[in-house]
Amino acid sequence: MRYRTRVTAPAALIGTAAALSVGSPAHAAKATATQNGTPGPETLGDPVYPSLGSDGYRVSAYHLDLAYDATTKLVDATATLKITTTQELTRFSLDALGLDIHTVTVAGRAAVFEQADEKLRITPARCLPAGKKVTVVVTYTADPRRTLAHTAWVPTPDGFAVCPQPNSAHTVFPCNDHPMGKADFTFRITVPAGLRGVASGRLVSTENLADGRTAYTYRSREPIATEIVQITVGDYVVKDRPGPHGLPLRDVVPTARATALEPALALTPNLVSWIEQRLGAYPFETYGLLPCNSDDPNAFDFTGLETQTLTLYKPNYLLQEESKIGSHMMHELVHSYFGNLVSPATWADLWINEGHADFYGLLYRYERGWPDSIGLTTMEARMKNTYARGDQWRRDSGPVAAPNAVNLFDSQRYLGGVLVLYALRNEIGETVFNAVERAFLDRFRNSSASTDDYIAVASEVSGRDLSGFLRDWLYGTKTPRMPGHPDWTVTPPSSALRQPESRTDGHHDNSATL
């Protein structure tokens, strides 16, 4: 374990630790020991990523001020966090990896800090009492090109975009990096002449600075989970168009590709209308696409990522005809509801996001008569095909709602999740199923929800206890019988472990799944 320790503490604390090496981890430990109270736990207990996030406080708001230097390709930044303690704290931690931290202040006072693995441990000048509202400010420099164990940065020839999901937002800014910790966000992005800075939310101000740079400020109307934040810099044009019911749509497009990408961008209004009929009004202040300005096939290994209000895409993917991209565009749009509006309580609940996104993406495809990647043209045919693989997937990837960090994004969370939803709809009927969907979204709007929460809503709305039914589908090691299709059979699993199919969005590129 390699530690990097800096001291930006008041004189009293510096004096306490003067006999210790500034670079020693014992330094911060000594400073902590001089206070009464308890260090905050460096975990939120996530079953898939147990080291992700920290406890003892909650973040209500982030303000990220980033300045991009086109010559050095570096980002100088200040992250301002509004936090509320949930216990008495002598020390608390943020997630941070690959960031060169310069200073940390807590409630306006310089604080001792150290970087250990992927944690930024902060020792405030005074012990923080439980229920204390406090501002934390961290200044740092980031290199988007830095090689790390994992990273959210997507470097481009003229700037960058970010792909934080699932556990990499903290390579861009120090944070409590877990989807249960949704918060308000503002972004101020300063760029040199000729470049544009864009982020999740709506543009609230543009400043033309004396040195020729421009600062763009964006603010989210609703809270955002760290894993779906978007920040991008590049030679972009922002294309605005009206959506249903006056919804402002904005696409952030590489200037040189704006004309070529227009046919794909023009599909969005009808996509929004279709999903609104099923899930209700689009939940955020704007929506649009960000075809990231990179042709490097190794720049990012995914097709699209549902960063809030601005879906990240490979640009060349969107140059295909509508039948090749329409269902995937619907998949990403559905994440505005399942995944963004309602975030997973833990990463084991990912099937709720991806199962729903694939479910509606497939419905959209088959309504239009577009054959899928294996030549099937109806939802029933696709589900029968998927059902046959059920025991093999459960053997290779575990139950639908019990992933690990290795198989989190394989097909069991995607099409396996679709199969659960299809079974539920067959069991309770389409009308009740649709009511379950809307009730779940309404109840957990702008919050996070677990698998247990979904089961509870389904039981309440349907008027019957569905816990046994759904738990068999979600956690069973054998595929249950499909309601309405007693003739469907499951292919016995082979003895050899098969390579799982990978996800349709995010960090594995398997766009043909839809």
Side-chain angles (χ1 to χ4, degrees), residues 30-116:
K30 177 68 175 179
T32 299
T34 63
Q35 304 181 51
N36 296 319
T38 306
E42 293 187 342
T43 180
L44 287 169
D46 190 274
V48 178
Y49 296 109
S51 64
L52 203 61
S54 296
D55 212 347
Y57 67 94
R58 296 291 181 267
V59 183
S60 61
Y62 293 89
H63 175 76
L64 305 180
D65 193 336
L66 293 83
Y68 176 70
D69 187 316
T71 301
T72 65
K73 309 294 186 182
L74 299 179
V75 176
D76 287 318
T78 300
T80 302
L81 290 69
K82 303 290 186 181
I83 73 170
T84 301
T85 61
T86 57
Q87 67 180 67
E88 187 178 52
L89 291 175
T90 58
R91 188 185 77 198
F92 62 96
S93 297
L94 301 174
D95 296 308
L97 173 66
L99 306 177
D100 294 321
I101 308 296
H102 304 312
T103 64
V104 178
T105 63
V106 179
R109 293 173 174 265
V112 172
F113 66 92
E114 63 177 350
Q115 291 176 267

Side-chain angles (χ1 to χ4, degrees), residues 106-429:
V106 179
R109 293 173 174 265
V112 172
F113 66 92
E114 63 177 350
Q115 291 176 267
D117 287 343
E118 299 189 24
K119 297 295 183 183
L120 172 62
R121 294 173 177 160
I122 299 171
T123 303
R126 296 176 180 174
C127 180
L128 302 177
K132 176 72 171 178
K133 295 182 185 296
V134 66
T135 299
V136 179
V137 180
V138 182
T139 65
Y140 63 98
T141 299
D143 183 351
R145 301 161 300 169
R146 180 172 291 166
T147 299
L148 300 169
H150 58 94
T151 184
W153 295 101
V154 180
T156 64
D158 52 3
F160 63 85
V162 298
C163 172
Q165 194 182 73
N167 62 334
S168 295
H170 62 279
T171 65
V172 178
F173 59 100
C175 56
N176 205 0
D177 196 2
H178 193 277
M180 71 172 290
K182 300 173 76 163
D184 294 332
F185 273 85
T186 57
F187 310 85
R188 185 175 185 267
I189 310 166
T190 302
V191 296
L195 298 182
R196 184 82 177 244
V198 185
S200 297
R202 291 291 302 275
L203 180 66
V204 294
S205 72
T206 302
E207 305 168 66
N208 296 314
L209 306 180
D211 59 4
R213 297 184 301 164
T214 303
Y216 299 92
T217 299
Y218 288 79
R219 179 175 296 120
S220 66
R221 189 182 67 189
E222 285 83 14
I224 309 177
T226 53
E227 52 107 2
I228 47 174
V229 161
Q230 183 55 255
I231 308 166
T232 187
V233 168
D235 180 9
Y236 291 123
V237 57
V238 177
K239 304 185 74 170
D240 297 307
R241 72 187 77 233
H245 318 300
L247 173 69
L249 301 177
R250 58 94 190 251
D251 299 303
V252 180
V253 191
T255 301
R257 305 183 187 210
T259 300
L261 287 165
E262 178 57 26
L265 306 179
L267 300 175
T268 298
N270 285 336
L271 290 164
V272 174
S273 293
W274 188 91
I275 199 61
E276 284 191 331
Q277 292 171 19
R278 288 150 182 83
L279 298 178
Y282 176 79
F284 300 120
E285 61 268 46
T286 186
Y287 183 68
L289 308 186
L290 167 62
C292 184
N293 192 22
S294 176
D295 289 319
D296 181 358
N298 300 315
F300 47 100
D301 58 348
F302 58 89
T303 297
L305 183 69
E306 64 272 18
T307 43
Q308 191 157 309
T309 72
L310 191 61
T311 293
L312 181 64
Y313 264 106
K314 286 183 175 180
N316 289 339
Y317 179 80
L318 294 175
L319 296 177
Q320 302 177 87
E321 62 186 61
E322 182 182 3
S323 63
K324 301 292 186 183
I325 62 176
S327 61
H328 193 282
M329 291 177 69
M330 179 58 69
H331 174 112
E332 300 300 346
L333 176 58
V334 171
H335 276 312
S336 296
Y337 299 81
F338 292 96
N340 297 13
L341 179 66
V342 180
S343 297
T346 75
W347 282 107
D349 303 308
L350 181 75
W351 77 272
I352 300 176
N353 304 13
E354 303 303 346
H356 278 97
D358 261 12
F359 181 82
Y360 290 101
L362 289 169
L363 288 178
Y364 187 76
R365 169 180 288 282
Y366 299 133
E367 276 192 14
R368 276 143 189 77
W370 299 332
D372 60 26
S373 59
I374 54 179
L376 301 175
T377 57
T378 67
M379 189 70 161
E380 182 174 321
R382 185 58 179 266
M383 290 300 93
K384 183 177 182 180
N385 178 278
T386 302
Y387 183 81
R389 309 183 199 189
D391 283 1
Q392 185 71 54
W393 286 359
R394 287 169 191 264
R395 173 189 168 90
D396 295 349
S397 298
V400 174
N404 58 44
V406 174
N407 63 32
L408 179 62
F409 290 112
D410 67 24
S411 282
Q412 184 68 309
R413 260 45 73 188
Y414 287 71
L415 284 172
V418 175
L419 200 64
V420 173
L421 297 172
Y422 183 80
L424 176 61
R425 190 177 69 168
N426 283 356
E427 179 72 11
I428 63 178

